[in-house]
Amino acid sequence: QQQRLKALFRWFYQDLGFCVRDNYFSTEAADLGTCLITKQGNSTTLATVLMLLAKQLDLELEALLLPGNTVLRSNVGGVVRYHDPLTGKELTKHQLHVLVRGELGNAAELKPSYLKAASVKKLISRMLHELKAGCIVSHQFEAAMECCNLLLQWHPDDVHLNRERAFIAQQLGCINVAAADLQHFVDNSPHDPVIEIVKMQLKELSEHAEIYH
């Protein structure tokens, strides 16, 4: 099985030429379909393609959702290995910790929860978050709104999604929608560190009129 896994990685990266997309935070990198067509993606899309291929070969590959990075874990004959989906190279636990510290700061710990295999729902949620971020950067606000709405269907208690949707709605000129989401955030997260900023945003929005599309 270890030889088959190595052969899969060699075929995927060397023969097929899958690699990291230069514009890493773009919608193209975060889109699974585009990743398959162009053979370029981010850590989440490349990991997902590899997991699907491994499943067809009866090989066990699992996605681990580190802060800011998705990595793969294989378990062959009881031997656990970690892999970078951007290159296929093996990662040590120390390197995993370096990735976490690079995202959260030097004081960040490698929490046991980071090393738990992601469910399909969590993996798709991360993909949607990354798609949403790419859409916002490229000012594709309608698509970003769709991503936000899908995420809120799965995670209705995540008030930070409401705050994000408020920003997107404001860019689209939907002031009442934005105000309702910010009010929801204020009502349900009164002790959040950014609550005073949100209250100021809410006050500013109340001074604007709704633009209908």
Side-chain angles (χ1 to χ4, degrees), residues 82-206:
Y82 304 98
H83 311 273
D84 182 355
L86 300 177
T87 61
K89 291 180 180 177
E90 200 170 317
L91 296 167
T92 63
K93 267 197 175 180
H94 172 70
Q95 287 171 311
L96 296 184
H97 195 188
V98 168
L99 288 174
V100 172
R101 294 207 322 255
E103 188 70 20
L104 301 180
N106 285 331
E109 298 178 5
L110 183 62
K111 295 179 181 177
S113 60
Y114 296 157
L115 302 181
K116 288 183 179 177
S119 64
V120 172
K121 182 177 177 179
K122 284 187 176 179
L123 186 61
I124 294 174
S125 292
R126 168 160 286 196
M127 214 177 291
L128 284 169
H129 271 291
E130 291 171 348
L131 260 176
K132 169 172 56 65
C135 288
I136 290 171
V137 168
S138 57
H139 290 198
Q140 299 175 52
F141 294 114
E142 289 184 4
M145 179 68 85
E146 288 183 33
C147 291
C148 228
N149 288 337
L150 285 168
L151 284 164
L152 273 165
Q153 285 178 29
W154 270 357
H155 309 284
D157 298 327
D158 187 348
V159 292
H160 292 281
L161 281 170
N162 290 96
R163 187 177 172 224
E164 280 193 57
R165 189 169 65 175
F167 168 77
I168 297 165
Q170 190 175 2
Q171 305 312 304
L172 291 169
C174 304
I175 306 303
N176 288 350
V177 174
D181 269 327
L182 288 182
Q183 189 63 57
H184 180 82
F185 182 91
V186 170
D187 293 343
N188 290 277
S189 193
H191 303 297
D192 193 280
V194 300
I195 193 69
E196 293 306 320
I197 296 171
V198 174
K199 285 180 179 177
M200 285 171 60
Q201 290 173 327
L202 193 55
K203 186 181 177 185
E204 287 173 13
L205 283 180
S206 67

Side-chain angles (χ1 to χ4, degrees), residues 5-48:
L5 188 62
K6 284 183 178 179
L8 171 61
F9 279 118
R10 189 165 56 249
W11 177 68
F12 187 75
Y13 294 103
Q14 295 177 21
D15 297 346
L16 294 181
F18 275 86
C19 62
V20 60
R21 181 173 282 274
D22 287 339
N23 194 357
Y24 187 84
F25 297 103
S26 65
T27 52
E28 291 80 10
D31 185 279
L32 188 59
T34 304
C35 176
L36 282 165
I37 294 166
T38 63
K39 300 179 184 177
Q40 296 179 349
N42 64 16
S43 61
T44 307
T45 48
L46 289 169
T48 302

